[in-house]
Amino acid sequence: MTTQNAFTLNIDEQKLAWLTIDVPGEKMNTLQAAFADEMTEVFSQLNEHSDLKGLVIESGKPDNFIAGADVRMLAACNSAEEAKALAAKGQEMFQQLSALPFPVVAMIHGPCLGGGLELALACDYRVCSDADITRLGLPEVQLGLLPGSGGTQRLPRLIGLLPSLDLILTGKQLRAKKAKKLGVVDASVPVSILKDVAISMLDKGKRKKEKVSNKEKLMSGTGLGRKMIFEQAAKKTRAKTRGNYPAADAILDVIKHGLENGMPKGLEFEAKRFGELVMTSESAALRSIFFATTEMKKESGSSAEPAQVNQIGVLGGGLMGAGIAHVSVSKAKVPVRIKDVSNDGVLNAMRYNYDLFAKQRKRRILSKAQLQEKMLQISGGTDFTRYQHADMVIEAVFEDLELKQKMVEDIEKNAKDSTIFATNTSSLPIGQIAEKAQRPENIVGLHYFSPVEKMPLVEVIPHDSTSEATIATAVKFAKKQGKTPIVVKDKAGFFVNRILAPYMNEAANILMTGEPIEHLDEALLNFGFPVGPITLLDEVGVDIGAKIMPIMVKELGPRFQGPDVFDTLLDDDRKGRKTGKGFYTYKGGKKKGVDESVYKLLSLTPEKKLSEKEVSLRCVLPMLNEAVRCLDEGIIRSARDGDIGAIFGIGFPPFLGGPFRYMDQIGLVQLVEMMNEYAEKFGDRFAPCDGLLTRAGNNESFY
């Protein structure tokens, strides 16, 4: 049996060589170390033809060029040396491509990322389709790595230092138009003429030395200008990563080294640093997130066949309802009917959506016609007009059990028997919302996170009577909305809010001992959270916290009881950002500084007594404890789901891989010791739960 090659070379009558990349058995083209032999064979065939006019590299896949290097091969590396050798092999392959005696054109349609873009950068010319699926970028930093096949050296020489730093340090993906504007590609054209334009590029011959703009020359051509750029970039990077992501510093070092010492030395250093990064715990954690989300895309959450959702209704025109409507129209591409108690509520939701689409138009992602077309997909009113056509209704009203039960009753009267009722509750058990329902099998929880258009997670919560088909439909629709869904058990707080509650309670406990607000927030920012806990309370709203906490205490017991601060704050009309007054002061919607008067209100004298480490661990340890309880109670189906839920739902530090990977990293025996130490020092709430004690006793881990 012959194995099919990933690379096929054909030479036509016009003496044009066509190299087609089509990885057998895979939906996406990815580069693998095993292809090196195939490429060597291709180069030797090319060298036999001295009369070639040029080479065009194309994909045999209909919707992607090359999505990057196959990340799986990094797991097989046992040392930095092995990983360095992988990078060096890739560099060597692309150097040979770059040194061919005739022009080479990369013909790009669909994603061209990571190693795919590095291959394209080694070509003389790049031409891409202007299709919406075309994206170019070097996202390695998101896996805790740097581009290891010449990307850190070729991109700055092609488009200049500043724009290349922006691309490589963020891992952002460019649309075709922007790639052309930056000079990453030479042409962006309709897919119908892509081939013709690629062939016409070959007439230009081998590419001359790259021309960088005068402004770029002035800034980065001189030692002083370059030094300034790197200093600024390092400062910005440190502010963002807080030293938790070593790849960012390595990227700066490698690019700088290459520009100062020449490309051969730059490539050598790139491979070395790539090898070192592969072996870091940060990269291992970030790669685990990548694999987990890839796996989850293939899962349906249920054995049943999902129903088709062609139209939805949204109850409530507030921020959540407006956000749910937005992802349903823009991502899931289904029409939405919003119902609110007032026309003002509907208009606010429409305005919210218009503003989001207008931003996309400003960035030229949407045309005026496309913006209008999307807005026509959203309608609304104060009654149930057209709800008889809805396949799913998503409720986003206030956190009030009676009100939500009334919504169920209304939908059962005004929609089809098959309509799914999905409730976006953050803490009320779904079984209670479905208590009086005629068709409880159609009721499911869909818990979104705010702001809906940005937060990637959705918790799908079936109650005891939810049908398998309803679960499967909810999971499939959440994915169509661009979300990562995790299926969780129906118990107050579900997973994300349940592990967040003890974290927030402990932050409040620390605050009530007089630790300064900014010290508390800064400690958790340095630990790796995107916002500090006190800022988070202001963002979510003190009133929301006041509503959720009693539900958690009632359903889950006294360990969820936090210090009694909510009433004091609400009596002083401190709801947080939305009222411009909370723990911080706000001006024009922007956070200014700590509102010092809050200390007087809470009878506190701020004084720093705890170290940053103690503050962080005091907040994080109760969260870890609760995560283990959730796993043991079956609230989440696996440690993997728990890690993804925590990272995508509350921004648990990605470089730690999620709460379960983090616990494995510490070691459960050591974690139990640490918790016992904190329990002695700060109270019983830190005592390790039974699940942790058992696993530590058996020397087990979560993965």
Side-chain angles (χ1 to χ4, degrees), residues 173-185:
Q173 296 180 18
L174 301 172
R175 289 166 186 268
K177 241 182 219 170
K178 183 73 172 169
K180 166 72 179 82
K181 193 179 171 189
L182 285 176
V184 178
V185 296

Side-chain angles (χ1 to χ4, degrees), residues 533-550:
I534 308 297
T535 299
L536 183 61
L537 192 54
D538 261 7
E539 293 287 340
V540 171
V542 175
D543 53 332
I544 305 291
K547 228 176 172 74
I548 290 172
M549 283 309 175

Side-chain angles (χ1 to χ4, degrees), residues 669-694:
V669 173
Q670 199 177 331
L671 181 66
V672 163
E673 281 172 18
M674 204 189 295
M675 283 182 167
N676 283 329
E677 197 183 299
Y678 271 64
E680 267 179 51
K681 214 169 172 183
F682 302 112
D684 287 346
R685 61 191 180 279
F686 289 96
C689 66
D690 291 346
L692 263 179
L693 290 169
T694 307

Side-chain angles (χ1 to χ4, degrees), residues 356-373:
L356 288 173
F357 287 132
K359 273 182 194 165
Q360 289 183 308
R361 190 184 168 214
K362 200 175 174 187
R363 290 170 55 207
R364 298 189 175 176
I365 294 165
L366 293 179
S367 65
K368 186 180 179 182
Q370 286 170 321
L371 184 152
Q372 289 168 341
E373 189 191 323

